[in-house]
Amino acid sequence: MHAPGRSRARRLWLPLLGAALAVAAVCAVAVLRPWGAPEPVAPVAAAEGDARVAASVPPAPLVLEDDARVLVFGDSWVYGSAATVPTLGFAYLLADELGVETVVNGVRGSGYLKPGLDGPAYGERIDALDPALDPDLVIVEGSINDRKLYPTGYRDAVTAAWDALEARYPDAAIVVLGPSPQVLPVESSTRSIDADLGELAAARGWWYVSPIADDWITTANYLDVIDTGPIGRDHPSTDGHAYLAGRVADAIESMEQQPAIVADAPHDEDAVTR
């Protein structure tokens, strides 16, 4: 666990929208664009033999306080690979960026399909998480590690892992942080993984952050973010991890600023009759 050096007096909570949200959800779907308001996404048509669904629920806004516990779960980027020391990885730095306590669970080489160097694939790792951890927020990152195994069984593996995560921490809000490109141009399989994760997160009413769609890593800053040398092996450098921590923190703060959807607000009688 990593506690913050400073705090912003915030705590996570997920507003209860009740049955009214289900009514509103028929008309709207939102996917996070961290640098602006969420953009509407057309419902994904049901397709035979896959996990796609026809309607999605817009995510509710988040609020953080200084005593929130945030579990950051993912692959080598979460582990802190290529930073001078792993604790300078972005997942650890989020404690100070957000003023929260972070619990970091990163396994190098791991993905939804691919076992890692230091542990199994995401689903088995989620099954091993301590229920007593009781995080307020879970950030699930990645992973580019599935790109060579994609697409066979991918959506099923993601669905099973996320079902297990919801069951393990039913009171936690969940944010999915999609894969970040380790090379440019972005590999086609990585783009497909990003699209699948975005669709599946939207179907659950979860916030989805896409570093690919939002151009976190471009030709203009690639060498400032990614260590391409024999030690870094296309992972974020120490400076790159600091940069990513800031981008993730800004994305989370953007979620806090979104207005809640209220379907049963009182009507303005005059407006109705005008």
Side-chain angles (χ1 to χ4, degrees), residues 232-258:
R233 294 181 300 149
D234 299 336
H235 286 82
S237 62
T238 300
D239 288 343
H241 276 287
Y243 165 76
L244 291 173
R247 298 296 303 241
V248 174
D250 284 345
I252 296 297
E253 289 173 347
S254 175
M255 297 171 200
E256 296 180 85
Q257 297 162 7
Q258 300 304 319

Side-chain angles (χ1 to χ4, degrees), residues 26-113:
V26 175
C27 303
V29 177
V31 171
L32 175 67
R33 301 294 180 192
W35 316 121
E39 297 180 1
V41 176
V44 181
E48 183 178 355
D50 68 17
R52 298 172 191 265
V53 293
S56 302
V57 179
L62 305 178
V63 176
L64 283 172
E65 290 186 3
D66 59 347
D67 57 349
R69 175 175 291 172
V70 179
L71 169 62
V72 189
F73 180 98
D75 55 25
S76 56
W77 291 49
V78 167
Y79 176 87
S81 290
T84 305
V85 292
T87 51
L88 291 177
F90 87 88
Y92 293 92
L93 299 180
L94 279 175
D96 281 344
E97 288 284 344
L98 291 172
V100 297
E101 172 193 3
T102 55
V103 179
V104 178
N105 189 313
V107 169
R108 297 173 296 173
S110 182
Y112 289 97
L113 295 173

Side-chain angles (χ1 to χ4, degrees), residues 200-218:
L200 292 171
R204 292 173 182 257
W206 292 357
W207 288 104
Y208 183 71
V209 183
S210 173
I212 293 174
D214 292 294
D215 293 327
W216 287 14
I217 300 174
T218 67

Side-chain angles (χ1 to χ4, degrees), residues 137-157:
L137 170 66
V138 181
I139 300 174
V140 186
E141 174 270 342
S143 170
I144 58 175
N145 294 320
D146 291 317
R147 67 193 186 279
K148 294 182 180 180
L149 299 174
Y150 180 89
T152 304
Y154 183 74
R155 293 175 73 100
D156 289 340

